[in-house]
Amino acid sequence: MSSQQGVFVQSAGDRYQQNRQVLGNLTVNYKVLPQDTNGGLFILENVSHGKGGPPRHVHHNQEEWFYAVDGEFVVEVGETRHHLQPGDSLLAPRQVPHVWAHVGEDIGRLLVAFQPAGVMEAFFAGFSTLTVAPSHEEMQKLFRAHDMEIVGPPL
């Protein structure tokens, strides 16, 4: 459906109708694409099938907003730790280190929005091609190629 008619994505669906798996533990579903908003916004849904999350990182040019749909998450922004339950949200400002992890026993669903969209769609497209965990150096290279920097370990 074109953005002229609105953008509809079914529950558990992906805007491109793709199954994007990251290292067998995470499904990434695109909900709103940068081209839908003239580059202003990118929204995805992370479906966590196990515990964990990305390394602590910084977005140089985007704010990142988190909204817990299902499950329990811990998100640290700067030095402050937040426990997100369904319905909770949190904004991580650009240039502030942050990290998140699914910590619940059941499947976790987290909506994540990036504003402006930047190159985050390309980051997740590249990240979902990984079949084994990359080395720290490979991971840093991927982050840097998409305007981010790894600044610490995962939670």
Side-chain angles (χ1 to χ4, degrees):
M1 178 178 286
S2 77
S3 59
Q4 294 283 324
Q5 301 166 333
V7 175
F8 174 76
V9 180
Q10 290 184 321
S11 176
D14 179 81
R15 181 83 163 83
Y16 289 130
Q17 299 174 358
Q18 293 182 359
N19 182 13
R20 213 170 283 97
Q21 297 290 318
V22 178
L23 302 175
N25 191 38
L26 183 69
T27 302
V28 178
N29 293 317
Y30 295 174
K31 299 298 184 177
V32 176
L33 301 174
Q35 62 262 31
D36 296 330
T37 63
N38 204 22
L41 183 65
F42 175 49
I43 301 175
L44 58 84
E45 177 185 45
N46 284 327
V47 181
S48 298
H49 304 281
K51 294 184 179 186
R56 183 176 304 274
H57 59 281
V58 172
H59 294 267
H60 297 295
N61 298 305
Q62 288 91 22
E63 278 79 37
E64 185 172 7
W65 176 77
F66 304 93
Y67 179 86
V69 177
D70 291 316
E72 300 174 51
F73 296 86
V74 171
V75 184
E76 289 183 4
V77 177
E79 299 295 321
T80 305
R81 179 174 280 203
H82 304 269
H83 294 268
L84 274 63
Q85 302 287 327
D88 293 340
S89 70
L90 177 64
L91 179 69
R94 65 183 75 190
Q95 300 183 8
V96 175
H98 60 278
V99 62
W100 66 268
H102 173 241
V103 296
E105 297 301 321
D106 296 325
I107 291 176
R109 292 176 48 227
L110 186 68
L111 286 178
V112 182
F114 300 94
Q115 189 287 134
V119 292
M120 295 309 299
E121 180 184 352
F123 170 76
F124 285 101
F127 202 63
S128 66
T129 64
L130 300 175
T131 56
V132 296
S135 69
H136 177 75
E137 293 77 22
E138 292 168 324
M139 184 78 90
Q140 185 70 277
K141 184 178 178 181
L142 179 63
F143 272 64
R144 285 182 178 155
H146 296 93
D147 297 328
M148 296 179 287
E149 195 84 28
I150 295 174
V151 295
L155 290 174

PDB file of all heavy atoms in Angstrom, residues 18-29 47-49 124-131:
ATOM      1  N   GLN A  18       8.866  -9.418   4.866  1.00  0.00           N
ATOM      2  CA  GLN A  18      10.068 -10.244   4.995  1.00  0.00           C
ATOM      3  C   GLN A  18      10.154 -10.811   6.405  1.00  0.00           C
ATOM      4  O   GLN A  18       9.618 -10.241   7.346  1.00  0.00           O
ATOM      5  CB  GLN A  18      11.322  -9.425   4.698  1.00  0.00           C
ATOM      6  CG  GLN A  18      11.434  -8.978   3.272  1.00  0.00           C
ATOM      7  CD  GLN A  18      12.724  -8.204   3.014  1.00  0.00           C
ATOM      8  OE1 GLN A  18      13.535  -7.985   3.902  1.00  0.00           O
ATOM      9  NE2 GLN A  18      12.905  -7.781   1.777  1.00  0.00           N
ATOM     10  N   ASN A  19      10.875 -11.909   6.532  1.00  0.00           N
ATOM     11  CA  ASN A  19      11.161 -12.507   7.827  1.00  0.00           C
ATOM     12  C   ASN A  19      12.627 -12.212   8.128  1.00  0.00           C
ATOM     13  O   ASN A  19      13.520 -12.882   7.639  1.00  0.00           O
ATOM     14  CB  ASN A  19      10.898 -14.017   7.791  1.00  0.00           C
ATOM     15  CG  ASN A  19      11.131 -14.656   9.139  1.00  0.00           C
ATOM     16  OD1 ASN A  19      11.262 -13.975  10.151  1.00  0.00           O
ATOM     17  ND2 ASN A  19      11.186 -15.970   9.153  1.00  0.00           N
ATOM     18  N   ARG A  20      12.867 -11.178   8.917  1.00  0.00           N
ATOM     19  CA  ARG A  20      14.212 -10.694   9.208  1.00  0.00           C
ATOM     20  C   ARG A  20      14.645 -11.221  10.571  1.00  0.00           C
ATOM     21  O   ARG A  20      14.210 -10.731  11.599  1.00  0.00           O
ATOM     22  CB  ARG A  20      14.166  -9.163   9.211  1.00  0.00           C
ATOM     23  CG  ARG A  20      15.385  -8.473   8.742  1.00  0.00           C
ATOM     24  CD  ARG A  20      15.137  -6.957   8.558  1.00  0.00           C
ATOM     25  NE  ARG A  20      14.407  -6.668   7.336  1.00  0.00           N
ATOM     26  CZ  ARG A  20      13.097  -6.466   7.249  1.00  0.00           C
ATOM     27  NH1 ARG A  20      12.350  -6.476   8.317  1.00  0.00           N
ATOM     28  NH2 ARG A  20      12.530  -6.237   6.096  1.00  0.00           N
ATOM     29  N   GLN A  21      15.504 -12.254  10.595  1.00  0.00           N
ATOM     30  CA  GLN A  21      15.995 -12.854  11.836  1.00  0.00           C
ATOM     31  C   GLN A  21      17.412 -12.348  12.114  1.00  0.00           C
ATOM     32  O   GLN A  21      18.217 -12.267  11.201  1.00  0.00           O
ATOM     33  CB  GLN A  21      16.030 -14.378  11.718  1.00  0.00           C
ATOM     34  CG  GLN A  21      14.673 -15.010  11.515  1.00  0.00           C
ATOM     35  CD  GLN A  21      13.812 -14.911  12.754  1.00  0.00           C
ATOM     36  OE1 GLN A  21      14.281 -15.107  13.865  1.00  0.00           O
ATOM     37  NE2 GLN A  21      12.553 -14.601  12.561  1.00  0.00           N
ATOM     38  N   VAL A  22      17.679 -12.040  13.368  1.00  0.00           N
ATOM     39  CA  VAL A  22      19.012 -11.598  13.775  1.00  0.00           C
ATOM     40  C   VAL A  22      19.573 -12.625  14.742  1.00  0.00           C
ATOM     41  O   VAL A  22      19.070 -12.778  15.862  1.00  0.00           O
ATOM     42  CB  VAL A  22      18.972 -10.198  14.432  1.00  0.00           C
ATOM     43  CG1 VAL A  22      20.357  -9.786  14.901  1.00  0.00           C
ATOM     44  CG2 VAL A  22      18.404  -9.175  13.460  1.00  0.00           C
ATOM     45  N   LEU A  23      20.565 -13.366  14.279  1.00  0.00           N
ATOM     46  CA  LEU A  23      21.278 -14.346  15.096  1.00  0.00           C
ATOM     47  C   LEU A  23      20.345 -15.347  15.778  1.00  0.00           C
ATOM     48  O   LEU A  23      20.631 -15.832  16.865  1.00  0.00           O
ATOM     49  CB  LEU A  23      22.173 -13.651  16.122  1.00  0.00           C
ATOM     50  CG  LEU A  23      23.216 -12.689  15.528  1.00  0.00           C
ATOM     51  CD1 LEU A  23      23.967 -11.961  16.633  1.00  0.00           C
ATOM     52  CD2 LEU A  23      24.194 -13.436  14.637  1.00  0.00           C
ATOM     53  N   GLY A  24      19.201 -15.627  15.170  1.00  0.00           N
ATOM     54  CA  GLY A  24      18.289 -16.641  15.675  1.00  0.00           C
ATOM     55  C   GLY A  24      17.534 -16.286  16.936  1.00  0.00           C
ATOM     56  O   GLY A  24      16.714 -17.056  17.420  1.00  0.00           O
ATOM     57  N   ASN A  25      17.780 -15.114  17.500  1.00  0.00           N
ATOM     58  CA  ASN A  25      17.203 -14.738  18.784  1.00  0.00           C
ATOM     59  C   ASN A  25      16.218 -13.576  18.675  1.00  0.00           C
ATOM     60  O   ASN A  25      15.474 -13.314  19.595  1.00  0.00           O
ATOM     61  CB  ASN A  25      18.338 -14.375  19.749  1.00  0.00           C
ATOM     62  CG  ASN A  25      17.876 -14.230  21.176  1.00  0.00           C
ATOM     63  OD1 ASN A  25      17.024 -14.970  21.634  1.00  0.00           O
ATOM     64  ND2 ASN A  25      18.441 -13.270  21.867  1.00  0.00           N
ATOM     65  N   LEU A  26      16.242 -12.877  17.548  1.00  0.00           N
ATOM     66  CA  LEU A  26      15.486 -11.642  17.416  1.00  0.00           C
ATOM     67  C   LEU A  26      14.875 -11.571  16.022  1.00  0.00           C
ATOM     68  O   LEU A  26      15.549 -11.842  15.026  1.00  0.00           O
ATOM     69  CB  LEU A  26      16.430 -10.448  17.628  1.00  0.00           C
ATOM     70  CG  LEU A  26      15.838  -9.053  17.595  1.00  0.00           C
ATOM     71  CD1 LEU A  26      14.956  -8.814  18.811  1.00  0.00           C
ATOM     72  CD2 LEU A  26      16.958  -8.018  17.574  1.00  0.00           C
ATOM     73  N   THR A  27      13.596 -11.209  15.965  1.00  0.00           N
ATOM     74  CA  THR A  27      12.936 -10.930  14.701  1.00  0.00           C
ATOM     75  C   THR A  27      12.734  -9.429  14.619  1.00  0.00           C
ATOM     76  O   THR A  27      12.289  -8.814  15.588  1.00  0.00           O
ATOM     77  CB  THR A  27      11.562 -11.646  14.622  1.00  0.00           C
ATOM     78  OG1 THR A  27      11.766 -13.048  14.791  1.00  0.00           O
ATOM     79  CG2 THR A  27      10.895 -11.388  13.292  1.00  0.00           C
ATOM     80  N   VAL A  28      13.079  -8.843  13.477  1.00  0.00           N
ATOM     81  CA  VAL A  28      12.932  -7.404  13.284  1.00  0.00           C
ATOM     82  C   VAL A  28      11.907  -7.181  12.172  1.00  0.00           C
ATOM     83  O   VAL A  28      12.122  -7.585  11.034  1.00  0.00           O
ATOM     84  CB  VAL A  28      14.277  -6.737  12.913  1.00  0.00           C
ATOM     85  CG1 VAL A  28      14.087  -5.251  12.675  1.00  0.00           C
ATOM     86  CG2 VAL A  28      15.314  -6.988  14.004  1.00  0.00           C
ATOM     87  N   ASN A  29      10.780  -6.566  12.544  1.00  0.00           N
ATOM     88  CA  ASN A  29       9.723  -6.260  11.588  1.00  0.00           C
ATOM     89  C   ASN A  29       9.666  -4.755  11.363  1.00  0.00           C
ATOM     90  O   ASN A  29       9.462  -3.999  12.311  1.00  0.00           O
ATOM     91  CB  ASN A  29       8.361  -6.737  12.110  1.00  0.00           C
ATOM     92  CG  ASN A  29       8.272  -8.235  12.200  1.00  0.00           C
ATOM     93  OD1 ASN A  29       8.703  -8.939  11.295  1.00  0.00           O
ATOM     94  ND2 ASN A  29       7.714  -8.740  13.281  1.00  0.00           N
ATOM     95  N   VAL A  47      11.118  -8.483  18.121  1.00  0.00           N
ATOM     96  CA  VAL A  47      10.488  -9.586  18.821  1.00  0.00           C
ATOM     97  C   VAL A  47      11.621 -10.450  19.366  1.00  0.00           C
ATOM     98  O   VAL A  47      12.326 -11.117  18.607  1.00  0.00           O
ATOM     99  CB  VAL A  47       9.557 -10.399  17.893  1.00  0.00           C
ATOM    100  CG1 VAL A  47       8.888 -11.527  18.675  1.00  0.00           C
ATOM    101  CG2 VAL A  47       8.511  -9.493  17.243  1.00  0.00           C
ATOM    102  N   SER A  48      11.799 -10.410  20.676  1.00  0.00           N
ATOM    103  CA  SER A  48      12.895 -11.124  21.335  1.00  0.00           C
ATOM    104  C   SER A  48      12.424 -12.514  21.752  1.00  0.00           C
ATOM    105  O   SER A  48      11.475 -12.653  22.523  1.00  0.00           O
ATOM    106  CB  SER A  48      13.366 -10.365  22.569  1.00  0.00           C
ATOM    107  OG  SER A  48      13.865  -9.097  22.211  1.00  0.00           O
ATOM    108  N   HIS A  49      13.121 -13.529  21.251  1.00  0.00           N
ATOM    109  CA  HIS A  49      12.793 -14.923  21.579  1.00  0.00           C
ATOM    110  C   HIS A  49      13.654 -15.447  22.718  1.00  0.00           C
ATOM    111  O   HIS A  49      13.549 -16.613  23.089  1.00  0.00           O
ATOM    112  CB  HIS A  49      12.967 -15.798  20.340  1.00  0.00           C
ATOM    113  CG  HIS A  49      12.154 -15.315  19.173  1.00  0.00           C
ATOM    114  ND1 HIS A  49      10.811 -15.554  19.047  1.00  0.00           N
ATOM    115  CD2 HIS A  49      12.518 -14.569  18.105  1.00  0.00           C
ATOM    116  CE1 HIS A  49      10.366 -14.991  17.939  1.00  0.00           C
ATOM    117  NE2 HIS A  49      11.372 -14.391  17.347  1.00  0.00           N
ATOM    118  N   PHE A 124      19.716  -2.404   9.976  1.00  0.00           N
ATOM    119  CA  PHE A 124      19.012  -3.634  10.334  1.00  0.00           C
ATOM    120  C   PHE A 124      18.981  -4.622   9.179  1.00  0.00           C
ATOM    121  O   PHE A 124      19.008  -5.833   9.405  1.00  0.00           O
ATOM    122  CB  PHE A 124      17.612  -3.324  10.860  1.00  0.00           C
ATOM    123  CG  PHE A 124      17.650  -2.771  12.252  1.00  0.00           C
ATOM    124  CD1 PHE A 124      17.526  -1.412  12.474  1.00  0.00           C
ATOM    125  CD2 PHE A 124      17.862  -3.599  13.342  1.00  0.00           C
ATOM    126  CE1 PHE A 124      17.595  -0.887  13.756  1.00  0.00           C
ATOM    127  CE2 PHE A 124      17.932  -3.090  14.628  1.00  0.00           C
ATOM    128  CZ  PHE A 124      17.798  -1.724  14.827  1.00  0.00           C
ATOM    129  N   ALA A 125      18.952  -4.133   7.960  1.00  0.00           N
ATOM    130  CA  ALA A 125      19.026  -5.034   6.798  1.00  0.00           C
ATOM    131  C   ALA A 125      20.367  -5.768   6.810  1.00  0.00           C
ATOM    132  O   ALA A 125      20.424  -6.982   6.605  1.00  0.00           O
ATOM    133  CB  ALA A 125      18.842  -4.259   5.509  1.00  0.00           C
ATOM    134  N   GLY A 126      21.454  -5.050   7.071  1.00  0.00           N
ATOM    135  CA  GLY A 126      22.778  -5.681   7.140  1.00  0.00           C
ATOM    136  C   GLY A 126      22.920  -6.586   8.348  1.00  0.00           C
ATOM    137  O   GLY A 126      23.478  -7.682   8.265  1.00  0.00           O
ATOM    138  N   PHE A 127      22.398  -6.127   9.477  1.00  0.00           N
ATOM    139  CA  PHE A 127      22.510  -6.897  10.709  1.00  0.00           C
ATOM    140  C   PHE A 127      21.776  -8.226  10.599  1.00  0.00           C
ATOM    141  O   PHE A 127      22.220  -9.241  11.124  1.00  0.00           O
ATOM    142  CB  PHE A 127      21.950  -6.066  11.874  1.00  0.00           C
ATOM    143  CG  PHE A 127      22.460  -6.472  13.220  1.00  0.00           C
ATOM    144  CD1 PHE A 127      23.797  -6.370  13.539  1.00  0.00           C
ATOM    145  CD2 PHE A 127      21.584  -6.954  14.171  1.00  0.00           C
ATOM    146  CE1 PHE A 127      24.269  -6.748  14.788  1.00  0.00           C
ATOM    147  CE2 PHE A 127      22.044  -7.344  15.427  1.00  0.00           C
ATOM    148  CZ  PHE A 127      23.384  -7.231  15.732  1.00  0.00           C
ATOM    149  N   SER A 128      20.649  -8.237   9.888  1.00  0.00           N
ATOM    150  CA  SER A 128      19.858  -9.469   9.790  1.00  0.00           C
ATOM    151  C   SER A 128      20.487 -10.508   8.863  1.00  0.00           C
ATOM    152  O   SER A 128      20.021 -11.645   8.822  1.00  0.00           O
ATOM    153  CB  SER A 128      18.430  -9.152   9.343  1.00  0.00           C
ATOM    154  OG  SER A 128      18.408  -8.655   8.034  1.00  0.00           O
ATOM    155  N   THR A 129      21.550 -10.151   8.158  1.00  0.00           N
ATOM    156  CA  THR A 129      22.233 -11.140   7.317  1.00  0.00           C
ATOM    157  C   THR A 129      23.253 -11.947   8.105  1.00  0.00           C
ATOM    158  O   THR A 129      23.770 -12.939   7.596  1.00  0.00           O
ATOM    159  CB  THR A 129      22.949 -10.459   6.126  1.00  0.00           C
ATOM    160  OG1 THR A 129      23.978  -9.610   6.630  1.00  0.00           O
ATOM    161  CG2 THR A 129      21.970  -9.669   5.266  1.00  0.00           C
ATOM    162  N   LEU A 130      23.537 -11.535   9.336  1.00  0.00           N
ATOM    163  CA  LEU A 130      24.526 -12.246  10.142  1.00  0.00           C
ATOM    164  C   LEU A 130      23.969 -13.588  10.613  1.00  0.00           C
ATOM    165  O   LEU A 130      22.837 -13.663  11.104  1.00  0.00           O
ATOM    166  CB  LEU A 130      24.924 -11.411  11.357  1.00  0.00           C
ATOM    167  CG  LEU A 130      25.541 -10.044  11.062  1.00  0.00           C
ATOM    168  CD1 LEU A 130      25.777  -9.291  12.367  1.00  0.00           C
ATOM    169  CD2 LEU A 130      26.825 -10.192  10.280  1.00  0.00           C
ATOM    170  N   THR A 131      24.762 -14.630  10.466  1.00  0.00           N
ATOM    171  CA  THR A 131      24.346 -15.953  10.936  1.00  0.00           C
ATOM    172  C   THR A 131      25.119 -16.396  12.174  1.00  0.00           C
ATOM    173  O   THR A 131      24.695 -17.313  12.863  1.00  0.00           O
ATOM    174  CB  THR A 131      24.527 -17.003   9.821  1.00  0.00           C
ATOM    175  OG1 THR A 131      25.884 -16.983   9.383  1.00  0.00           O
ATOM    176  CG2 THR A 131      23.591 -16.711   8.650  1.00  0.00           C
TER     177      THR A 131
END
